[in-house]
Amino acid sequence: PTERQRLQRDMILKFPNIQIFDVADIVATVQKLVANFVLAISFVGSFVILSGVLILIGSIALTKSQRIYENAILKTLGAKRLTLGSILLFEYGLLGLLAGIIGSVFAVGLSWAVSRFILDIAWEFDPWLGLTGIVATTVIVVVVGCIASFDVLFRKPLGTLRSQ
């Protein structure tokens, strides 16, 4: 930086009618702005993911009594825990897959619209990023759903059916 400043000072003294812009400072300022922008987007994204997980847990808690009753009926009809666990896993897997596909489609559409109409830059479709989002959403929904509903598999059906 001191060599650049010395060079700038010498050039201004030698040619007083020129104007010098230090591009390195401009690039550093732009990089700092982009880093802050990325940090803000990461924070908002983390908040959205946390909110989604909390909403998922809330919806699972709201339907837990219905799930307990369904499992009691299925156990009475002869279903084993492995079968009930498979049903639970498949149900949350399908729900997560559907949520991932819908989220990925909207994310791709929104990124295309922002790139095309707001930023006016070229847009490229990255299928691996979309697939990664779908798989991550499916895994999160399956894990959270199965953990939140795990105790349903071990309830005795007699007490549940008597209380209905």
Side-chain angles (χ1 to χ4, degrees), residues 95-107 130 133-135 137-138:
L95 183 66
L97 182 67
L98 183 64
I101 290 171
I102 291 171
S104 181
V105 166
F106 278 112
I134 291 170
V135 169
T137 303
T138 304

Side-chain angles (χ1 to χ4, degrees), residues 1-75:
T2 56
E3 286 184 30
R4 280 197 326 256
Q5 291 170 351
R6 193 174 308 122
L7 177 65
Q8 289 173 1
R9 188 181 59 240
D10 291 343
M11 292 300 290
I12 289 176
L13 290 175
K14 190 172 183 180
F15 303 104
N17 60 344
I18 65 167
Q19 194 169 19
I20 296 177
F21 296 102
D22 193 356
V23 178
D25 287 340
I26 295 171
V27 168
T29 303
V30 169
Q31 284 177 336
K32 197 181 301 183
L33 286 172
V34 169
N36 288 339
F37 187 65
V38 167
L39 179 66
I41 289 176
S42 298
F43 176 75
V44 170
S46 301
F47 179 73
V48 167
I49 289 173
L50 177 65
S51 299
V53 169
L54 292 176
I55 289 170
L56 177 64
I57 290 171
S59 67
I60 291 168
L62 286 175
T63 61
K64 195 167 194 172
S65 63
Q66 182 181 7
R67 198 168 314 283
I68 290 171
Y69 182 71
E70 288 172 357
N71 280 343
I73 295 290
L74 290 172
K75 279 183 183 178

